[in-house]
C-alpha cells in the first residue's frame, strides 16, 4: 500500500494477482506458486526507484521483484535461481543475472536505493520456508549492494560485508552517507539457536 500523509490509501499492489496474472499470461499454472492462505510471498520491505519509476518489493520467500509503479507490470526479478520461482518460464524471463564475482541474494531484507541509484539489501542467506525447492542455504548473512543494468539484464554486486554471522530474519543495512553503512544483525547467531543476540555495526 502507498499511504498519503493524511492516512488515505493512494495506491495498492496485489502481489498475488500481479504474479498469478503474469504467470498465466505466459502459459504457466500459478497454483503451485501463489497460494492463498499460505505465506508464499512474505513481503518485508518496499522501496521506490525514482530513476525509472519502479516499486521494488522484497519477497523473503522468493526474490526481489521490481514493478512499474503506474501499471504494476513486472520489470525484473533478482534472486536465487535454485528456488521454486526460477522453475517457471513465466518468471524466469524477468531474471537478472549476477556477473562473476557476485552472488544473487537468497533471503532479502531492508531494500533501499542509495544516493547514487544502487540497490542495497541485507541478504540473510536462508532458504524458503514454504516454497519447494527452497533454494540454497549459506552459513552467514551479508549486506550487499548492486548496480542495475537493465539493458544488459544484470545486477552487478559492487559491495558486500562478509562476517561469519548467521542472521536469518529481521536484519537490515542502510547507507547513511556515501559508502558508510549501518548494519543491524537482529538475531546474530541464528533465531533457532536459543542464544541469539543483536549486534549493530
Amino acid at each position: 500500500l502507498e499511504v498519503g500523509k493524511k492516512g488515505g490509501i493512494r495506491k495498492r499492489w496485489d502481489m498475488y494477482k500481479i504474479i498469478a496474472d503474469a504467470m498465466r499470461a505466459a502459459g504457466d499454472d500459478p497454483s503451485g506458486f501463489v497460494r492463498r492462505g499460505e505465506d508464499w510471498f512474505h513481503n518485508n520491505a518496499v522501496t521506490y526507484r525514482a530513476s525509472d519509476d519502479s516499486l521494488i518489493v522484497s519477497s523473503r520467500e522468493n526474490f526481489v521483484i521490481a514493478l512499474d509503479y503506474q501499471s504494476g507490470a513486472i520489470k525484473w526479478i533478482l534472486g536465487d535461481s535454485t528456488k521454486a520461482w526460477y522453475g517457471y518460464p513465466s518468471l524466469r524471463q524477468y531474471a537478472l543475472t549476477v556477473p562473476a564475482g557476485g552472488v544473487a541474494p537468497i533471503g532479502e531484507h531492508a531494500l533501499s536505493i542509495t544516493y547514487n541509484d544502487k540497490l542495497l539489501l541485507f541478504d540473510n542467506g536462508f532458504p524458503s520456508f514454504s516454497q519447494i525447492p527452497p533454494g540454497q542455504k549459506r552459513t552467514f548473512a551479508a549486506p550487499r549492494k548492486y548496480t542495475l543494468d537493465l539493458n544488459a539484464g544484470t545486477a552487478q554486486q559492487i559491495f558486500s560485508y562478509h562476517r561469519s554471522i548467521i542472521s536469518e530474519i529481521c536484519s537490515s543495512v542502510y547507507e547513511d552517507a556515501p559508502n558508510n553503512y549501518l548494519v543491524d544483525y537482529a538475531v546474530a547467531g541464528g533465531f533457532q539457536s536459543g542464544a541469539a543476540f543483536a549486534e549493530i555495526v
Side-chain angles (χ1 to χ4, degrees):
L1 303 175
E2 180 180 2
V3 180
K5 292 180 180 180
K6 295 184 179 180
I9 296 174
R10 299 176 60 181
K11 198 169 179 63
R12 78 174 65 217
W13 295 265
D14 182 340
M15 299 309 299
Y16 180 100
K17 186 176 189 312
I18 288 169
I19 292 176
D21 286 354
M23 293 178 74
R24 287 191 198 97
D28 280 337
D29 176 4
S31 61
F33 186 72
V34 294
R35 306 180 304 278
R36 295 236 186 251
E38 297 183 35
D39 190 15
W40 66 274
F41 191 80
H42 197 102
N43 170 230
N44 58 38
V46 179
T47 193
Y48 176 70
R49 189 176 188 224
S51 62
D52 62 357
D53 198 29
S54 293
L55 186 76
I56 304 178
V57 184
S58 171
S59 167
R60 202 222 68 84
E61 285 294 290
N62 305 293
F63 42 52
V64 176
I65 185 169
L67 309 176
D68 179 82
Y69 173 87
Q70 299 298 333
S71 69
I74 299 173
K75 287 186 168 186
W76 52 261
I77 292 174
L78 174 63
D80 174 15
S81 62
T82 68
K83 285 190 173 186
W85 70 273
Y86 200 78
Y88 295 94
S90 57
L91 299 178
R92 189 167 62 240
Q93 68 177 325
Y94 296 107
L96 298 180
T97 59
V98 180
V103 296
I106 292 176
E108 307 79 33
H109 285 89
L111 302 178
S112 63
I113 298 299
T114 66
Y115 75 98
N116 58 350
D117 209 35
K118 311 303 182 187
L119 174 65
L120 182 66
L121 56 83
F122 189 94
D123 175 2
N124 65 39
F126 206 65
S128 296
F129 289 103
S130 69
Q131 299 284 20
I132 302 296
Q136 300 179 59
K137 180 179 181 179
R138 298 193 185 107
T139 58
F140 63 93
R144 301 188 192 281
K145 185 163 67 172
Y146 299 89
T147 293
L148 303 176
D149 184 341
L150 303 184
N151 291 324
T154 62
Q156 183 175 3
Q157 181 182 301
I158 57 173
F159 169 79
S160 177
Y161 180 62
H162 181 108
R163 294 174 66 199
S164 298
I165 294 179
I166 297 171
S167 189
E168 317 96 321
I169 61 173
C170 303
S171 299
S172 59
V173 59
Y174 293 98
E175 187 171 0
D176 60 358
N179 301 312
N180 191 70
Y181 305 93
L182 177 66
V183 183
D184 169 26
Y185 294 97
V187 287
F191 76 99
Q192 296 171 317
S193 68
F197 61 96
E199 180 175 311
I200 294 176
V201 181

